[in-house]
């Protein structure tokens, strides 16, 4: 849960800084909202790819550790 919240907070801060230009209004402009949606979607897709690679590597790492501890 902590790692998830860390990733979420970083993504939120990055996209906010990248997309929101004017803090004088209560609501987002259409351009800001569109930018935030695409920014968040890109980061979520990247995170999914990284997690997929991680999940693929974990069994090999666990086997290597088990072999090292067994030797």
């Amino acid at each position: 849960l902590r790692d998830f919240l860390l990733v979420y907070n970083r993504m939120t801060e990055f996209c906010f800084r990248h997309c929101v230009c004017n803090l004088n209004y209560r609501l987002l402009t259409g351009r800001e909202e569109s930018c935030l949606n695409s920014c968040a979607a890109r980061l979520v897709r990247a995170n999914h790819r990284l997690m997929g690679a991680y999940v693929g590597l974990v069994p090999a790492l666990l086997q290597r550790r088990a072999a090292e501890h067994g030797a």
Side-chain angles (χ1 to χ4, degrees), residues 15-34:
C15 290
F16 182 84
R17 287 183 182 196
H18 179 73
C19 296
V20 178
C21 304
N22 189 349
L23 299 175
N24 293 332
Y25 300 102
R26 184 175 177 174
L27 300 175
L28 296 171
T29 65
R31 183 176 173 203
E32 290 170 336
E33 191 170 346
S34 175

Side-chain angles (χ1 to χ4, degrees), residues 5-22:
L5 291 175
L6 183 63
V7 168
Y8 176 79
N9 286 336
R10 285 182 183 167
M11 179 182 73
T12 302
E13 183 177 347
F14 175 81
C15 290
F16 182 84
R17 287 183 182 196
H18 179 73
C19 296
V20 178
C21 304
N22 189 349

Side-chain angles (χ1 to χ4, degrees), residues 23-70:
L23 299 175
N24 293 332
Y25 300 102
R26 184 175 177 174
L27 300 175
L28 296 171
T29 65
R31 183 176 173 203
E32 290 170 336
E33 191 170 346
S34 175
C35 180
L36 287 168
N37 286 336
S38 65
C39 180
R42 278 193 313 267
L43 292 175
V44 166
R45 282 192 304 270
N47 189 41
H48 281 212
R49 285 193 305 267
L50 287 171
M51 291 306 294
Y54 176 75
V55 167
L57 292 174
V58 167
L61 291 172
L62 292 175
Q63 285 179 346
R64 188 178 336 146
R65 281 188 189 162
E68 289 173 357
H69 288 283

